[in-house]
Amino acid sequence: MSARRLALAGLAAAALALPAAAQEGRGFNPIARPSQAPVLPDGAVAVNPPRPLPRETIERAVRQVLEAWNERRLDRVLAKDFRDRERLVDALETKVPRDAKLRLTAVQGWQVLSQFRRGATVVSRVSVTVRTQVEFNDPAAGFQARDGTNEFVLTVTGREAP
């Protein structure tokens, strides 16, 4: 009987020595997302699956945004429903040094989020990851260059290829 107890004690010790699965007691909170398909303008037809856009088109669109930033006319290229639109434009005017220039260093990648066709025009909503550099002269520290990685969500409009 003592051999049996010893065997049971050994099994119990082995079971306690097994690594425990580490878990946290928090609940799962899914990321909110629209429950329905986006509303399309009158006469528009969704392109499904969306067609990829060429690199040249993406780079041209990104350069237009950077050019608008550099020329202090960002308000002309931001969407009317851009969140905190006025705040961003005000910050550009009041907090960014006048001689600051935003330069594109790389387009890392892009993804078409949605796309629709109206007649011969194709409208694409695209997420683009870009590397940029802001360059400016600081009165105390001299020339400054600050690198950054940004995500732009752009609306690209073009003619459909025949």
Side-chain angles (χ1 to χ4, degrees):
M1 187 90 152
S2 72
R4 187 178 212 173
R5 281 189 179 177
L6 186 61
L8 286 174
L11 284 174
L16 291 175
L18 292 175
Q23 290 184 337
E24 195 168 320
R26 286 198 263 171
F28 175 72
N29 294 323
I31 296 173
R33 62 186 172 120
S35 59
Q36 59 202 21
V39 177
L40 297 174
D42 291 336
V45 177
V47 177
N48 200 0
R51 295 183 182 169
L53 297 178
R55 175 176 276 285
E56 299 80 32
T57 302
I58 298 300
E59 285 182 358
R60 186 173 43 250
V62 169
R63 288 185 193 284
Q64 287 175 351
V65 173
L66 298 184
E67 191 176 291
W69 191 94
N70 289 333
E71 295 173 0
R72 302 290 201 257
R73 56 179 182 81
L74 193 60
D75 58 327
R76 295 183 194 158
V77 297
L78 290 177
K80 299 296 181 213
D81 62 347
F82 185 88
R83 187 171 151 211
D84 291 335
R85 184 179 197 276
E86 294 305 317
R87 206 167 136 205
L88 175 61
V89 172
D90 287 345
L92 180 61
E93 289 299 320
T94 59
K95 296 183 179 183
V96 176
R98 287 274 172 210
D99 67 336
K101 296 294 178 199
L102 185 59
R103 191 168 59 86
L104 176 67
T105 57
V107 173
Q108 290 184 314
W110 64 94
Q111 176 181 1
V112 177
L113 301 174
S114 64
Q115 198 171 63
F116 66 86
R117 180 183 309 111
R118 187 171 24 188
T121 303
V122 176
V123 179
S124 305
R125 190 166 168 261
V126 185
S127 170
V128 186
T129 304
V130 295
R131 293 199 36 85
T132 57
Q133 186 173 64
V134 176
E135 301 172 340
F136 61 95
N137 285 308
D138 182 274
F143 179 77
Q144 300 289 306
R146 308 281 168 82
D147 294 322
T149 301
N150 306 283
E151 178 189 19
F152 292 179
V153 177
L154 305 173
T155 301
V156 179
T157 304
R159 304 294 288 172
E160 187 170 27

